Amino acid sequence: MSKKSIRIIYWITTVLFVAFMVFSGIGGLVGSEAGDAVMVGLGYPLYLNMILGIAKILGGVALIQTKWYVIKEWAYAGFTFDILGAAMSFAFAGFGFSAIIVPLISLVVMFISYSSWKKLY
C-alpha cells in the first residue's frame, strides 16, 4: 500500500473518530437527558459526564494535531481505556449486545487510525 493511500485512510478514520468523540464529549458537557439516563443506569455519578466530556474534547484535539507525538500516543491510550470501560460497563450492567458492540466498533475505527498513523511516522 502506498504512503498516499495510507495517509488517506489515516485522515478519514481519524476525522470520523475525532468527530464521534468530540460530539460525545459535547453531549456529556451539555448534559442531555438521554446521556444522563445512561450514566444513572450504569450507576455512575452525573459529574463523570463533565470529566469525560472535557477529556474527549482534549483527546480529539490531541489526535488532530501533528506536532507532539507523545501526546497523540497518550490520547489513543486514553480513548482505548474509555471505550473498553464503556463496553464493559454496558456488559456488566446487562444492557445487551447492541449496547456493547457500538463502543467496540468505534474502537476498531480508532485502531485503524492508530495503525495507519504508526505506518506513516
Side-chain angles (χ1 to χ4, degrees), residues 4-70:
K4 182 178 180 180
S5 57
I6 294 172
R7 187 175 311 277
I8 290 169
I9 291 170
Y10 166 70
W11 280 110
I12 289 172
T13 56
T14 302
V15 167
L16 286 173
F17 180 75
V18 167
F20 178 73
M21 284 294 134
V22 168
F23 288 134
S24 172
I26 292 170
L29 291 175
V30 170
S32 66
E33 287 184 33
D36 289 350
V38 170
M39 290 302 275
V40 169
L42 291 171
Y44 293 121
L46 291 180
Y47 65 80
L48 188 59
N49 274 338
M50 297 294 271
I51 296 168
L52 292 175
I54 292 169
K56 287 176 182 180
I57 293 169
L58 291 176
V61 171
L63 292 186
I64 293 296
Q65 62 86 26
T66 58
K67 186 174 182 179
W68 298 290
Y69 296 127
V70 174

